[in-house]
């Protein structure tokens, strides 16, 4: 909500992707007709208005069943101090002009908005719990995780090893410059013996109204650039990354790596090398596993897949990596031959059908190439 009229504007409304973490696996609130759970956030500081509306509700006295206590379920995830009536909320909205982003400005960029017909400015900040007011703001911000990240949990903000990176949109209201929350990322700094750290991305969310505009890529690249300048950082990784995050990371890392000398077309065609691993880690804080994916994507760009020899060489190179888990199964099988009785061995062999392995390998390869092509298409448009 930026203006009072946004309260009545359905165009500013967005619905949760997930509600099982609040309402159970069935995602059901029992006992209501026409139930509406209304959560409004002021665009900048995320002050909250919470209301429940319904046309009717079951009554224990007459219906012998009790309706779910929806209000207490929501209260469990939103911090105290929220508004319950519109007038209080609108009076807070008038004070929004005083809200300023927390922490240190890292990056400013603009995105062309077709609807508005103009470039809109965005800024990325790094904050921590020592910033006045940030702890309370973060409590409100993290409530979005419950609706948009499938396995979300709230973090221990008293642990000083957390870093917070925030994206804001700058906009004008009555001649004043205001800021709207776009999204954020939390990163945990793990200790690596003897004197390094390994920042690990824990949570990343771009709010639905801003998705598909490139903010995730801007945020991830900014975070990488922030840690790249630190001599104590070994590499950057992610906790339990989703498929969408992996695709985003592929794009950002390829964009960062494509100008390194070790990824020149001539060197790409000679195969994956230790030089690539070293340069990507030292200059860009990228680990070996992610560097290998970057190499495969850039080599695909340098490969003429219409040329039989080049195409075959690329396919074999990628499949040699993909076959790793299958080779592990073969080693396990060799152990089984020494330990199992014949009938037990036959049972295990049935589970490791070689033809099926070849089919699965080819399927994995084709899926990978399809994903890689999408990264290259996005890179060509960047």
């Amino acid at each position: 909500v930026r203006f009072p009229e946004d309260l009545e504007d359905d165009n500013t409304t967005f619905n949760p992707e997930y509600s099982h973490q609040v309402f159970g696996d069935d995602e059901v609130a029992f006992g209501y007709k026409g139930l509406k759970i209304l959560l409004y956030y002021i665009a900048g500081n995320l002050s909250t208005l919470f209301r429940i509306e319904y046309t009717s509700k079951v009554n224990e006295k007459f219906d012998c069943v009790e309706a779910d206590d929806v209000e207490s379920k929501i209260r469990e995830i939103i911090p105290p101090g929220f508004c319950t009536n519109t007038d209080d909320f609108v009076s807070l909205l008038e004070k929004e002009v005083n809200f300023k982003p927390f922490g240190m400005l890292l990056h400013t960029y603009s995105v062309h908005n077709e609807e508005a017909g103009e470039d809109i400015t965005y800024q990325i900040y790094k904050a921590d719990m020592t910033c006045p007011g940030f702890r309370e703001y973060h409590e409100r911000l993290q409530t979005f995780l419950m609706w948009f990240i499938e396995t979300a949990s709230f973090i221990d903000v008293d642990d000083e090893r957390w870093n917070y990176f925030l994206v804001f949109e700058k906009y004008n209201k009555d001649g004043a410059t205001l800021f709207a929350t776009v999204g954020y990322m939390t990163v945990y700094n793990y200790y690596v013996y003897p004197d390094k750290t390994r920042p690990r991305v824990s949570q990343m969310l771009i709010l639905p109204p801003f998705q598909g505009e490139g903010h995730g890529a801007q945020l991830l690249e900014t975070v990488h650039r922030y840690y790249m300048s630190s001599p104590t950082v070994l590499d950057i990784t992610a906790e339990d990354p989703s498929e969408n995050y992996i695709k985003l990371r592929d794009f950002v890392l390829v964009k960062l790596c494509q100008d390194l000398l070790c990824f020149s077309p001539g060197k790409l065609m000679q195969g994956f090398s230790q030089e690539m691993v070293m340069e990507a880690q030292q200059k860009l804080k990228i680990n070996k596993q992610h560097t290998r994916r970057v190499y495969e994507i850039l080599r695909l760009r340098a490969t003429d897949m219409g040329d039989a020899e080049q195409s075959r060489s690329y396919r074999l190179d990628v499949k040699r990596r993909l076959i790793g888990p299958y080779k592990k199964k073969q080693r396990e099988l060799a152990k089984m031959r020494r330990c199992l009785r014949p009938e037990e061995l036959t049972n295990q062999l049935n589970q490791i059908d070689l033809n099926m392995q070849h089919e699965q390998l080819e399927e994995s390869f084709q899926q990978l190439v399809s994903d890689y092509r999408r990264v290259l298409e996005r890179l060509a448009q960047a």
Side-chain angles (χ1 to χ4, degrees):
V1 175
R2 303 183 188 197
F3 305 94
E5 52 268 30
D6 292 342
L7 286 161
E8 306 302 325
D9 185 358
D10 286 343
N11 291 326
T12 63
T13 300
F14 51 94
N15 298 313
E17 269 180 57
Y18 308 104
S19 57
H20 63 89
Q21 293 174 116
V22 181
F23 293 103
D25 291 345
D26 293 336
E27 299 190 322
V28 166
F30 170 77
Y32 299 87
K33 197 175 273 186
L35 175 65
K36 279 186 180 178
I37 300 164
L38 305 166
L39 276 166
Y40 299 91
Y41 292 83
I42 291 176
N45 74 7
L46 303 179
S47 293
T48 312
L49 167 64
F50 168 45
R51 281 206 323 262
I52 291 175
E53 295 175 359
Y54 50 86
T55 51
S56 62
K57 175 181 173 181
V58 296
N59 185 302
E60 193 175 6
K61 193 173 175 184
F62 295 106
D63 303 305
C64 302
V65 286
E66 197 175 350
D68 288 349
D69 186 354
V70 169
E71 187 166 330
S72 69
K73 288 177 188 285
I74 302 293
R75 280 174 181 267
E76 280 176 23
I77 63 162
I78 61 172
F82 54 84
C83 301
T84 53
N85 73 71
T86 306
D87 291 344
D88 291 345
F89 187 71
V90 170
S91 69
L92 285 178
L93 187 58
E94 288 163 6
K95 298 173 187 169
E96 179 73 345
V97 70
N98 301 320
F99 173 77
K100 295 290 177 280
F102 303 92
M104 171 176 67
L105 175 62
L106 297 181
H107 179 49
T108 300
Y109 62 99
S110 61
V111 174
H112 186 71
N113 185 292
E114 293 289 340
E115 208 175 303
E118 61 181 358
D119 288 348
I120 294 175
T121 301
Y122 297 88
Q123 293 185 328
I124 298 175
Y125 289 76
K126 177 190 172 286
D128 58 49
M129 287 298 155
T130 63
C131 301
F134 179 65
R135 181 183 288 264
E136 294 76 15
Y137 167 85
H138 177 262
E139 281 186 357
R140 298 189 289 272
L141 176 61
Q142 69 178 354
T143 61
F144 287 105
L145 298 176
M146 288 297 165
W147 310 115
F148 297 104
I149 293 183
E150 194 168 2
T151 54
S153 59
F154 293 163
I155 62 176
D156 175 13
V157 294
D158 292 320
D159 189 332
E160 293 174 359
R161 285 178 289 186
W162 285 106
N163 283 339
Y164 306 84
F165 298 88
L166 309 155
V167 188
F168 293 96
E169 176 195 330
K170 285 177 82 172
Y171 70 100
N172 292 314
K173 179 179 176 183
D174 302 328
T177 299
L178 279 79
F179 294 86
T181 301
V182 171
Y184 81 119
M185 178 191 284
T186 57
V187 181
Y188 192 78
N189 295 296
Y190 278 91
Y191 168 68
V192 181
Y193 182 83
D195 59 353
K196 301 279 187 190
T197 59
R198 173 174 278 130
R200 187 165 83 173
V201 176
S202 174
Q203 301 153 326
M204 181 179 184
L205 177 65
I206 301 299
L207 295 177
F210 302 97
Q211 288 174 7
E213 296 177 355
H215 301 295
Q218 290 279 358
L219 178 56
L220 187 56
E221 184 175 341
T222 300
V223 169
H224 258 273
R225 290 191 184 281
Y226 171 77
Y227 287 117
M228 270 158 43
S229 60
S230 171
T232 61
V233 169
L234 184 67
D235 54 37
I236 303 161
T237 182
E239 178 187 339
D240 192 19
S242 66
E243 277 184 38
N244 284 339
Y245 180 83
I246 290 167
K247 287 171 185 172
L248 176 70
R249 182 174 64 197
D250 283 344
F251 167 72
V252 169
L253 298 191
V254 169
K255 186 177 172 218
L256 288 170
C257 286
Q258 62 182 344
D259 296 326
L260 294 180
L261 285 174
C262 63
F263 289 108
S264 62
K267 292 195 173 181
L268 286 166
M269 301 314 270
Q270 290 169 24
F272 188 54
S273 68
Q274 189 59 27
E275 182 192 0
M276 293 170 184
V277 175
M278 296 289 289
E279 196 170 352
Q281 183 166 43
Q282 286 169 5
K283 292 184 178 174
L284 303 173
K285 312 297 185 187
I286 300 171
N287 68 23
K288 183 177 180 178
Q289 182 188 354
H290 300 160
T291 303
R292 172 72 201 204
R293 280 181 75 90
V294 167
Y295 153 75
E296 289 177 4
I297 294 167
L298 288 173
R299 180 162 174 184
L300 177 64
R301 184 169 71 177
T303 299
D304 177 3
M305 293 300 274
D307 179 296
E309 186 50 44
Q310 283 191 39
S311 172
R312 180 175 178 276
S313 174
Y314 179 74
R315 190 171 66 252
L316 290 175
D317 188 47
V318 174
K319 282 188 175 181
R320 267 194 295 273
R321 176 180 67 80
L322 292 176
I323 208 166
Y326 298 104
K327 284 190 170 172
K328 188 182 173 194
K329 275 188 183 175
Q330 296 300 332
R331 289 195 295 274
E332 287 169 358
L333 193 57
K335 285 182 191 171
M336 287 176 198
R337 284 202 173 96
R338 295 195 294 271
C339 306
L340 297 179
R341 294 194 301 273
E343 63 273 17
E344 290 174 322
L345 185 61
T346 304
N347 185 36
Q348 289 297 326
L349 282 169
N350 289 338
Q351 292 176 32
I352 308 174
D353 181 275
L354 282 176
N355 288 334
M356 191 191 291
Q357 282 185 19
H358 287 304
E359 280 175 28
Q360 287 173 347
L361 197 61
E362 180 60 25
E363 206 175 289
S364 297
F365 172 74
Q366 293 299 342
Q367 180 59 53
L368 211 56
V369 169
S370 172
D371 290 343
Y372 288 174
R373 285 194 197 283
R374 276 196 288 274
V375 172
L376 292 171
E377 282 166 18
R378 185 173 178 183
L379 203 62
Q381 292 162 7

